[in-house]
Amino acid sequence: MLSTAFADFDSSLLRKPLFDPITPHGIFTLDGADWKRSRGQLRNRLSNLRKVIDLGVCEQHFQAFLQHVPPNGQVFDVQRCTSALASDMQTRFFLGESVGALDFTQSQEKKQFVEDLHVIKERIVRDGFRGPLRHLMPKRVFYRSCCRARKYVMARARREVERQSSRIEKTKGGRDGNDFNKSEEISQFADQTMSILLANDSTSTTLSGLFYCLSRDERIVEKLRTSIIDAIGLTPPTWAQLGTLHYVRWVLQEGEESLIDH
């Protein structure tokens, strides 16, 4: 609805100040024609998921996730693990490398980025509820986290854009040489990536809520497992096989509705 009728909805005066320090030209800070253009660019990047998403890489991240699931039904923080899984997969596909949130040997730089992202999201949510009172709260930590996170993403966005440009130049047989357009593309790439990362809680919340619901109904778990094995077997799925997992889709939809009801 927002992609086609954005002008019919009022844009909160609070939204831009909240997101401007971290995504100055992202979909959360723009309005009108600029928002529509940014939304279109982001949609184009995600228009063909089969080209964007490597199922083999997804399997690697899922196996890393399983390393954090304790045996014998022991209690663990599923929200933290699903959040790490979402962050790892999204940064891998958008930045060309994962932040390694599920890695036991995560680098200090990547660990700092994950922490900064948490600080940023928490502050945006809190200030959204505070309204005008947000001006009374100190922002030094928030701005510092925004600066570090932006720098981290920009470095990888620059590398990714230059890699793509190099591939195009080899295809064309010459150098484009338009550094201004390349700089603009890098900034745009960073804004779009940060917008996705700031919104990844919806993915992790859905997954953690679903796992919680499944943990309370062993019958559904067994039925779900049987349906997957019958359709795919015990090997990682292909794109064609994913389309046959009807019961999985129904469980996901039911899980989302349960979260809304509660």
Side-chain angles (χ1 to χ4, degrees), residues 126-165:
R126 289 179 182 271
D127 280 1
F129 283 104
R130 288 171 179 147
L133 294 177
R134 72 186 188 279
H135 297 297
L136 301 178
M137 307 300 295
K139 290 190 174 182
R140 179 181 298 179
V141 174
F142 172 68
Y143 285 136
R144 189 180 300 161
S145 292
C146 287
C147 182
R148 281 195 300 254
R150 182 81 182 176
K151 182 179 179 181
Y152 178 93
V153 171
M154 283 291 288
R156 283 145 185 86
R158 182 176 295 106
R159 184 177 61 194
E160 190 68 13
V161 169
E162 289 177 350
R163 183 183 65 81
Q164 294 176 6
S165 297

Side-chain angles (χ1 to χ4, degrees), residues 50 53-56 59 231-233 235-245:
R50 298 194 180 200
I53 297 178
D54 185 332
L55 293 182
E59 178 66 20
I232 297 175
T235 58
T238 63
W239 276 105
Q241 289 174 322
L242 287 178
T244 66
L245 298 177

Side-chain angles (χ1 to χ4, degrees), residues 3-20:
S3 62
T4 57
F6 183 79
D8 296 336
F9 296 86
D10 290 333
S11 174
S12 169
L13 296 177
L14 180 61
R15 178 166 53 85
K16 180 176 174 58
L18 291 179
F19 289 92
D20 193 63

Side-chain angles (χ1 to χ4, degrees), residues 31-256:
D31 276 318
D34 290 335
W35 181 90
K36 189 173 183 179
R37 181 171 57 254
S38 179
R39 171 75 177 185
Q41 292 166 344
L42 186 58
R43 179 188 289 177
N44 288 337
R45 288 184 64 185
L46 301 174
S47 60
N48 191 339
L49 291 180
R50 298 194 180 200
K51 288 185 177 180
V52 176
I53 297 178
D54 185 332
L55 293 182
V57 174
C58 289
E59 178 66 20
Q60 293 173 13
H61 288 303
F62 180 69
Q63 291 300 323
F65 169 81
L66 291 181
Q67 296 300 312
H68 293 265
V69 179
N72 304 322
Q74 299 174 17
V75 175
F76 73 106
D77 189 346
V78 66
Q79 175 67 34
R80 183 187 65 80
C81 292
T82 54
S83 178
L85 175 63
S87 295
D88 280 356
M89 294 180 70
Q90 289 170 348
T91 50
R92 172 63 179 82
F93 295 132
F94 279 93
L95 296 177
E97 68 175 38
S98 165
V99 291
L102 289 170
D103 294 347
F104 294 104
T105 57
Q106 184 186 28
S107 70
Q108 183 57 42
E109 181 189 24
K110 292 182 177 182
K111 185 180 297 184
Q112 182 66 64
F113 174 71
V114 173
E115 292 175 359
D116 286 333
L117 201 59
H118 176 74
V119 169
I120 293 166
K121 290 193 287 187
E122 184 177 37
R123 181 57 189 256
I124 288 174
V125 171
R126 289 179 182 271
D127 280 1
F129 283 104
R130 288 171 179 147
L133 294 177
R134 72 186 188 279
H135 297 297
L136 301 178
M137 307 300 295
K139 290 190 174 182
R140 179 181 298 179
V141 174
F142 172 68
Y143 285 136
R144 189 180 300 161
S145 292
C146 287
C147 182
R148 281 195 300 254
R150 182 81 182 176
K151 182 179 179 181
Y152 178 93
V153 171
M154 283 291 288
R156 283 145 185 86
R158 182 176 295 106
R159 184 177 61 194
E160 190 68 13
V161 169
E162 289 177 350
R163 183 183 65 81
Q164 294 176 6
S165 297
S166 177
R167 186 172 63 244
I168 294 174
E169 288 167 7
K170 288 180 180 179
T171 303
K172 292 182 177 180
R175 186 175 183 275
D176 184 9
N178 197 330
D179 293 332
F180 175 78
N181 287 342
K182 187 176 292 186
S183 297
E184 186 178 12
E185 186 178 357
I186 291 170
S187 179
Q188 180 187 97
F189 193 104
D191 281 320
Q192 292 176 350
T193 299
M194 286 304 309
S195 296
I196 293 295
L197 295 179
L198 290 173
N200 75 347
D201 286 343
S202 59
T203 301
S204 59
T205 300
T206 299
L207 287 175
S208 61
L210 176 63
F211 290 148
Y212 171 75
C213 292
L214 290 174
S215 70
R216 298 167 62 87
D217 196 327
E218 187 174 346
R219 180 183 64 86
I220 298 299
V221 173
E222 288 300 321
K223 187 174 181 180
L224 182 63
R225 186 174 188 275
T226 300
S227 71
I228 294 173
I229 293 176
D230 288 345
I232 297 175
L234 299 176
T235 58
T238 63
W239 276 105
Q241 289 174 322
L242 287 178
T244 66
L245 298 177
H246 305 299
Y247 190 68
V248 173
R249 185 182 302 112
W250 297 337
V251 170
L252 284 170
Q253 292 171 346
E254 188 69 23
E256 290 175 348

